Amino acid sequence: MFHGLPFLLIEISLDYNSAYSPRTETFFIVHNGTKSAVTVTQGPCDFAWGQPVLNGSLTKGEASSASIYVPYIDASGDENVSFSVTLGGASAGLSVENLTALLAAGNGTAVLPITGTPAKAGEVTFAVSVDGKSIGTATATIAGTNDPSGIPCGWNFYDIGYTGDNASEVASTSFGQDWVPSPHRVYPTHGDNADAYFTAVSAVGCTNWTFNPSIQAQALKLDDYWLAYIPVKNFPEGGKITVDMGCGGAGGSVGFYYFEYSVDGTTWKGVPGAKECTRGTDTFLAHLWNTGSSISASGYTNTRKTYDKATDDTYQKYTFAVDGLTNGVLYLRLRVLKYRATPGSTADNNGTGWTDIKGFEVNWAE
């Protein structure tokens, strides 16, 4: 209470803080010979860069049509930034021009074209800096004329640091996710195979599809499946790959999957290493399954929206050889089995719940 004494109201207006850290400034008020310091601290902006990734492929002796995608979130629309890229490894013949760009407000992706023709095969790195500050490195393998290409590739939004609905926007802007028409396709978050995609195949059609940040589909039933479509070149006869994965879902959705591969999209072979599972008196083989902690049902620990391979109790990894494929498409699918996700339930998957794939990543076996 001022008891009738006059007072001076001072209004301070601050510009948007586009810095990555808080900023503090001090100004002084002088009144009746008294100098008083006033310190104002403003928090950092919500703007953030995502992990740079390579879009497209690079082959020795072939002109590059690849680019570096740099996703960002929560831009104000006032960010005028300068990109620079330092190349390393087998980078002879390639270049990335410095680029200055005004970012669009909200979430989006900056595209940095890679120009030139690779002079040699091998791993190449693209260290991206913005206004002189490093924000991450994209890595790719330049294929030789006879080198295998198309692998590695993978789908894992957790690994690149996106959560919740934000993953949907990143998927649609950075990874070319087709919302319509069906089938929906998600292009890889990892690797440089621009023609690979991940989708869900349903006899009656999925009723819905989203990211959160798992890849999610609704209403998958018995013998529907998740499908990874991976074009490859120069795949070695009997070449071995490793696939690791994790899942989640609603209690009434898919509980178990059987993992298969094909080199023609018609004839399917079961991947070695399936585990024996039991529901009631029924014993069957499965490769991937939900647990109590991986579903969002009352009474269970809910880790459905987290994915740490070291601790996730749905995480599975399989290594196997693929025969009969040189240049063509490697098809990998997780086929839906009978029982629902709720632990111990002998009821059929009800075909209405959401089912999640947390990650599905394909690499050459060491």
Side-chain angles (χ1 to χ4, degrees):
M1 184 176 292
F2 295 98
H3 301 290
L5 295 176
F7 64 93
L8 178 64
L9 177 64
I10 299 176
E11 182 177 299
I12 302 171
S13 178
L14 301 176
D15 289 336
Y16 174 79
N17 182 10
S18 60
Y20 305 113
S21 58
R23 62 183 180 183
T24 299
E25 296 291 343
T26 299
F27 65 92
F28 296 89
I29 298 176
V30 180
H31 179 66
N32 287 339
T34 301
K35 186 177 182 181
S36 301
V38 179
T39 300
V40 177
T41 298
Q42 185 181 25
C45 63
D46 294 327
F47 175 85
W49 295 104
Q51 172 65 34
V53 295
L54 188 90
N55 181 268
S57 59
L58 296 168
T59 302
K60 175 184 174 182
E62 296 182 8
S64 168
S65 60
S67 298
I68 302 167
Y69 279 15
V70 188
Y72 62 84
I73 60 172
D74 293 330
S76 69
D78 295 325
E79 292 88 354
N80 194 35
V81 297
S82 295
F83 295 93
S84 60
V85 179
T86 301
L87 283 69
S91 61
L94 296 175
S95 63
V96 181
E97 291 188 7
N98 293 345
L99 173 69
T100 298
L102 180 65
L103 303 182
N107 300 344
T109 303
V111 179
L112 310 178
I114 301 170
T115 59
T117 300
K120 59 182 179 179
E123 185 176 272
V124 60
T125 59
F126 302 90
V128 181
S129 295
V130 177
D131 296 333
K133 181 178 179 180
S134 173
I135 62 167
T137 299
T139 302
T141 299
I142 299 174
T145 307
N146 297 313
D147 290 343
S149 65
I151 295 173
C153 70
W155 297 262
N156 183 345
F157 287 100
Y158 295 88
D159 194 41
I160 58 174
Y162 290 98
T163 59
D165 292 338
N166 185 42
S168 298
E169 298 184 29
V170 172
S172 61
T173 57
S174 295
F175 304 108
Q177 193 267 341
D178 296 333
W179 289 99
V180 290
S182 184
H184 306 292
R185 296 178 178 182
V186 190
Y187 297 106
T189 59
H190 295 70
D192 55 9
N193 191 338
D195 297 316
Y197 63 81
F198 195 81
T199 190
V201 179
S202 172
V204 297
C206 299
T207 59
N208 212 339
W209 175 274
T210 190
F211 300 80
N212 195 22
S214 306
I215 301 173
Q216 293 183 275
Q218 190 175 24
L220 296 185
K221 295 184 179 181
L222 178 66
D223 290 333
D224 291 341
Y225 52 91
W226 295 101
L227 174 69
Y229 175 97
I230 306 174
V232 298
K233 293 181 180 179
N234 303 313
F235 195 98
E237 181 63 26
K240 283 190 174 183
I241 60 173
T242 293
V243 182
D244 55 358
M245 62 192 85
C247 64
S253 70
V254 179
F256 300 87
Y257 299 94
Y258 192 77
F259 186 26
E260 301 168 306
Y261 76 93
S262 174
V263 298
D264 60 11
T266 301
T267 303
W268 295 91
K269 297 181 180 180
V271 169
K275 276 81 169 179
E276 191 173 89
C277 300
T278 301
R279 283 293 173 94
T281 60
D282 188 10
T283 299
F284 53 94
L285 294 176
H287 292 86
L288 183 67
W289 52 86
N290 279 294
T291 64
S293 62
S294 67
I295 65 174
S296 53
S298 176
Y300 299 104
T301 302
N302 184 8
T303 61
R304 180 179 173 184
K305 300 304 177 191
T306 62
Y307 187 44
D308 181 343
K309 296 178 185 180
T311 59
D312 192 288
D313 56 7
T314 72
Y315 174 76
Q316 300 292 333
K317 181 176 182 178
Y318 294 96
T319 299
F320 56 99
V322 175
D323 292 307
L325 178 62
T326 302
N327 298 312
V329 176
L330 173 62
Y331 301 85
L332 302 172
R333 74 178 185 181
L334 290 168
R335 179 166 53 85
V336 175
L337 300 182
K338 176 179 179 181
Y339 296 107
R340 64 177 56 182
T342 303
S345 173
T346 57
D348 292 0
N349 158 30
N350 63 20
T352 60
W354 285 97
T355 179
D356 304 17
I357 295 298
K358 297 180 179 183
F360 191 92
E361 294 162 86
V362 185
N363 292 284
W364 293 111
E366 294 181 357

